[in-house]
Amino acid sequence: MMVVEEERSMEEGLLKLKNQNDASDCRITACVILSTFVAVCGSFSFGLATGYTSGAEIGIMKDMGLSIAEFSAFGSFSTLGAAVGALLSGKMAIMLGRRGTMWVSNILCITGWLSIAFAKDVLLLDFGRISAGIGVGLISYVVPVYIAEITPKHVRGTFTFSNQLLQNAGLAVVYFCGNFLNWRMMALLGALPCIIQAVGLFFVPESPRWLAKVGTDKELENSLLRLRGRDADISREVSEIQLVTKMVESDSKSSFCDLFQRKYRHTLVVGIGLMLIQQFSGSAAVIYYASTIFRKAGFSVAIGSTLLGLFMIPKAMIGLILVDKWGRRPLLLTSAFGMSITCMLLGLAFALQKMQLLPELTPVFTFICVTVYIATYAIGLGGLPWVIMSEIFPINIKVTAGSLVTLASWSSSSIVTYAFNFLFEWSTQGTFYIFGLIGGGALLFIWLLVPETKGLSLEEIQISLTGQPDEISHM
């Protein structure tokens, strides 16, 4: 009974705080910008790792004498390592903090990239790929979580989406520089943003929400003062964070079984569902094997890769600009619709090629469809599943839920990247029809289940998704 009364008191306190002035929440300080920049340096390395095999394939196979099977294994070791990193990411983020986890990821990524750059045999090459992959797995979880926890709510989506922007910047560098840099130089380039991040982390604050969870109130206040400005009134935000943290901590301790409590099922389904949609709609296959698709369609791989590299950053900027104006749901629905339609059109193009109809149009039409597919992916399903994942889970289950969602992403990515070549050999058009149908199913999933989180604080989102606001409002 005492627990119920205490929880009710905390909930009522939160409601009162929601009605207070949000002025201090609306400030974008130099510290927030610097902290976000430092965090997304890891995202840039993430993008380099994702596209590395596309730009390095010919050079590595020639210099190291790799067979197709050995190179395929080298490529897949990144997602294998990332899956391991995903399993470790949540617990590490709570034990070491968000900054500590990024430091560990830097050590792993720098070790991995340098091992690849100076490899003399296949063993060191594969070790480097696995090490960098584990680091990328940590990055994929901790970077969006850290950014979401430090930024004001009215720009949280834009700042968190910068994670996707820098991933695309990394991809752009690989696609573009792969035409004139050798694979060893590109590996050294992959280590550079990790070194910058490792140094930058000395100058940015820890996540205030992690500090609230570990019980250091003074450090929580100091962190928020740095992020919101020394003259800002942070009392409302401090109280809100402390109230919600105490409420969820008193409700249950973080364990795997907690994820399956009835009140968390919706958030878990949304988090995992978006990651599965992101991968099984074909994104990993198109990005990893863009050159294979161009080659099959008869389009120049060099021209296609260069144009995609030039296009990567501008198309990611669209999502960055729109995420806090349109909201999450409209962008996700637009993205799923565009990906579904372009996959169907790609299937049609390869079907016409197989029937030898309009053969002169197939290469250009394929390039246009791949470009539009990647553009629609970038504005929604490319980055927003990570944004939403960082927003919807309460602090008491964020560790286990975030790890599970990140693991779902990397595991499904491994399946898609491994199976794509077999599917492509089976039926070029059939492969894209499958991706298109999954994209159509994604529309229904997003429409029915995915909440809008635009303009809400993390505490407001998490309380609303556990069904507590209605209970409180009826007291």
Side-chain angles (χ1 to χ4, degrees), residues 17 20 24 232-240 242:
L17 287 167
Q20 293 179 10
S24 64
D233 180 7
I234 60 168
S235 57
R236 188 202 64 82
E237 190 171 4
V238 168
S239 298
E240 184 178 272
Q242 290 175 331

Side-chain angles (χ1 to χ4, degrees), residues 214-369:
V214 297
T216 52
D217 292 346
K218 186 63 177 177
E219 291 183 31
L220 162 62
E221 293 174 7
N222 289 336
S223 175
L224 276 176
L225 282 172
R226 289 182 65 185
L227 291 166
R228 303 293 178 256
R230 290 294 175 184
D231 59 340
D233 180 7
I234 60 168
S235 57
R236 188 202 64 82
E237 190 171 4
V238 168
S239 298
E240 184 178 272
I241 291 172
Q242 290 175 331
L243 277 171
V244 173
T245 301
K246 288 177 182 176
M247 187 166 61
V248 295
E249 286 292 327
S250 64
D251 186 54
S252 64
K253 299 297 181 183
S254 179
S255 71
F256 186 76
C257 293
D258 289 339
L259 298 180
F260 303 101
Q261 292 181 32
R262 184 176 180 180
K263 62 182 177 180
Y264 297 139
R265 287 175 192 168
H266 183 198
T267 59
L268 192 64
V269 169
V270 170
I272 294 177
L274 285 175
M275 292 301 179
L276 295 179
I277 287 168
Q278 182 192 62
Q279 300 300 334
F280 287 121
S281 57
S283 60
V286 173
I287 292 171
Y288 274 69
Y289 298 110
S291 59
T292 302
I293 296 170
F294 292 149
R295 194 177 295 114
K296 189 75 171 180
F299 193 82
S300 169
V301 173
I303 294 174
S305 297
T306 301
L307 291 176
L308 276 183
L310 294 173
F311 181 64
M312 279 290 173
I313 297 177
K315 54 94 175 173
M317 287 294 295
I318 299 172
L320 188 73
I321 294 168
L322 295 178
V323 64
D324 278 317
K325 292 184 177 180
W326 283 20
R328 281 57 157 166
R329 277 172 56 85
L331 286 178
L332 284 171
L333 289 167
T334 302
S335 179
F337 178 77
M339 291 168 67
S340 179
I341 292 297
T342 50
C343 279
M344 289 297 184
L345 291 175
L346 278 167
L348 177 62
F350 282 114
L352 292 174
Q353 182 190 55
K354 191 173 183 179
M355 293 185 289
Q356 297 184 339
L357 297 174
L358 304 174
E360 67 281 358
L361 295 179
T362 300
V364 175
F365 186 66
T366 299
F367 172 75
I368 292 172
C369 285

Side-chain angles (χ1 to χ4, degrees), residues 144-194:
V145 167
Y146 176 74
I147 297 172
E149 290 179 345
I150 65 169
T151 48
K153 64 185 180 183
H154 71 293
V155 292
R156 187 181 60 247
T158 299
F159 274 73
T160 309
F161 206 90
S162 64
N163 172 51
Q164 177 70 11
L165 176 64
L166 267 291
Q167 287 178 32
N168 278 271
L171 278 170
V173 168
V174 168
Y175 284 147
F176 185 72
C177 295
N179 292 319
F180 55 87
L181 283 182
N182 68 44
W183 60 276
R184 293 186 187 275
M185 286 300 297
M186 284 200 294
L188 291 175
L189 186 63
L192 182 59
C194 300

